[in-house]
Amino acid sequence: NAEYGYDRGKDMQWRFFRDISYLAAMGKAGGGRNEVNPRFLSLFAVFNMVFPHGDTLQHIYATILKGHLQTFKPEIQALAKPLTELTLELYAMIVKELPPTPSKFHYIFNLRDLSRIYYGLSLTLPERYVDVSSFVRVWRNECLRILHDRLISAKDKELVQGHLHDLVNSNFQSESEVVLRNPILFGDYRAALNPETEPRVYEDLQDFDASGALFTEILEEYNQTHNPMNIVLFEDALDHATRIHRVLRMTNGHALLVGVGGSGKQSLTRLAAFAAGCEVFEIQLCRGYNEESFKEDLKILYNKLGIDNQPTVFLFSEGHVVEEGFLELVNNMLTTGQVPALFPDDEKEAIIGNVRDEVTKAG
């Protein structure tokens, strides 16, 4: 069994490929995905991975939350099971009512989203969350940030907000006034300017006055050490800056910011990155900039991260997409954290030598 064809490189050499096995993956038909021809499927051994049963998900996530809440007050510890039930109910409603479509192809919700909700809940500390209302409120925030912020229409957002309000009112009626109060701003940037002396605590910032005072101080500090930015911190700006900061403080956090040009996406990202203790890395386009140039810049980025151990935000805008191949490289970074064949073997040896001592110390 042999396959053959021309190498699509410069030389167009004739290539033979022998003893090849094909591995493919697909999702269910629907949401813009078409049915696959049965004759094509017959050429494969098909394995179907079904979604875990509700009881299984309940056990997994309730156990995670129960373990985190062991040092909290008993009334908060008791929230592990009911909050997990409400999370799964909200998730099931969203999957059913908001399926992906050609115009909403990114409406894909999976276990990764549920895990991110519980990752956010695991950032809470017993000293700050002392009653049921405060913990249910942070649960509401995580659901909104992970599930609601992905939605692109007011109708879809109202659907999720309405269902979330119904869940809170029907299960935590006595705490609903506090839980459903807006704005809902959670972050750990209160100590952003003094991280050595004050611990960062993921907390409820309460209102725009408190958030505005903090970000104004952070912006003044930023302007003293960087190119000054003239930003008006109105309420929407504070809301978006808080959301961006939250994403950047998460492990492997990444976000796609959508808006018209000049709306402040890059400025707010730079401000949020500074508040998160990160440097901003951005490629500099020049004449003849191509995929190889992009890979060289990515080498610099990965050396900053791996060797210098510098927390870094990679700011990549639509203006940087000179070639479509750039998007494939960025996609690899988001899905696997690495770019295939980025470093040749001789450079890998030098990198290994630079981090060997630190890895040995870490055990």
Side-chain angles (χ1 to χ4, degrees), residues 130-143:
V130 296
D131 52 37
V132 171
S133 60
S134 63
F135 197 83
V136 177
R137 182 169 169 81
V138 72
W139 168 80
R140 175 186 170 229
N141 177 74
E142 299 310 304
C143 291

Side-chain angles (χ1 to χ4, degrees), residues 301-363:
L301 171 62
Y302 275 92
N303 282 327
K304 277 179 172 287
L305 298 170
I307 297 178
D308 300 337
N309 201 25
Q310 172 62 50
T312 305
V313 173
F314 180 32
L315 181 58
F316 189 74
S317 70
E318 61 178 0
H320 293 144
V321 187
V322 179
E323 299 180 6
E324 287 190 11
F326 290 13
L327 297 178
E328 184 177 352
L329 298 177
V330 171
N331 183 62
N332 286 329
M333 295 171 66
L334 295 177
T335 53
T336 66
Q338 60 184 357
V339 178
L342 181 62
F343 292 96
D345 291 339
D346 57 333
E347 293 184 20
K348 288 181 181 177
E349 290 299 325
I351 293 172
I352 292 173
N354 286 328
V355 300
R356 180 176 283 114
D357 293 342
E358 187 174 349
V359 172
T360 303
K361 291 178 182 179

Side-chain angles (χ1 to χ4, degrees), residues 44-276:
F44 292 83
V46 179
F47 295 88
N48 180 31
M49 299 295 293
V50 298
F51 193 78
H53 192 271
D55 292 340
T56 303
L57 294 177
Q58 173 72 28
H59 177 73
I60 292 173
Y61 288 107
T63 301
I64 293 173
L65 189 55
K66 183 178 179 181
H68 173 68
L69 296 178
Q70 287 181 349
T71 57
F72 287 69
K73 291 184 176 182
E75 58 267 29
I76 298 181
Q77 294 182 32
L79 293 175
K81 182 178 178 180
L83 281 185
T84 301
E85 292 175 349
L86 298 184
T87 304
L88 295 178
E89 183 178 342
L90 178 65
Y91 173 81
M93 184 280 297
I94 291 176
V95 170
K96 179 181 178 181
E97 300 293 335
L98 301 174
T101 65
S103 63
K104 302 173 182 177
F105 57 89
H106 63 290
Y107 279 24
I108 300 175
F109 302 93
N110 51 41
L111 291 182
R112 187 180 291 112
D113 300 304
L114 290 176
S115 298
R116 285 174 179 159
I117 291 175
Y118 281 77
Y119 178 82
L121 294 177
S122 69
L123 298 176
T124 56
L125 296 176
E127 297 81 16
R128 289 298 174 94
Y129 298 86
V130 296
D131 52 37
V132 171
S133 60
S134 63
F135 197 83
V136 177
R137 182 169 169 81
V138 72
W139 168 80
R140 175 186 170 229
N141 177 74
E142 299 310 304
C143 291
L144 288 174
R145 299 292 74 80
I146 300 300
L147 302 175
H148 172 272
D149 285 357
R150 191 181 307 179
L151 309 178
I152 60 174
S153 72
K155 181 180 178 182
D156 294 344
K157 292 182 178 182
E158 289 172 2
L159 176 66
V160 173
Q161 290 176 5
H163 195 73
L164 197 53
H165 281 215
D166 292 342
L167 290 176
V168 172
N169 286 324
S170 59
N171 292 273
F172 303 100
Q173 188 172 8
S174 58
E175 292 85 13
S176 62
E177 182 178 354
V178 174
V179 174
L180 298 176
R181 186 182 68 244
N182 287 319
I184 184 163
L185 305 166
F186 279 80
D188 63 359
Y189 52 84
R190 188 182 297 276
L193 299 180
N194 303 294
E196 296 84 6
T197 58
E198 296 182 49
R200 285 182 176 264
V201 178
Y202 190 60
E203 60 182 337
D204 186 358
L205 279 305
Q206 299 295 332
D207 53 40
F208 287 120
D209 290 339
S211 176
L214 292 172
F215 265 120
T216 298
E217 188 177 356
I218 294 170
L219 178 60
E220 291 174 354
E221 182 69 20
Y222 177 92
N223 288 339
Q224 293 178 8
T225 56
H226 299 74
N227 291 330
M229 296 190 299
N230 185 18
I231 301 177
V232 178
L233 295 173
F234 54 95
E235 292 184 355
D236 277 353
L238 293 171
D239 193 12
H240 288 300
T242 300
R243 298 184 192 189
I244 297 170
H245 175 270
R246 175 190 168 280
V247 170
L248 298 182
R249 290 289 295 166
M250 296 285 181
T251 302
N252 298 326
H254 55 272
L256 174 65
L257 308 184
V258 181
V260 297
S263 58
K265 299 185 295 297
Q266 292 193 36
S267 297
L268 289 180
T269 299
R270 296 180 190 278
L271 180 61
F274 181 73

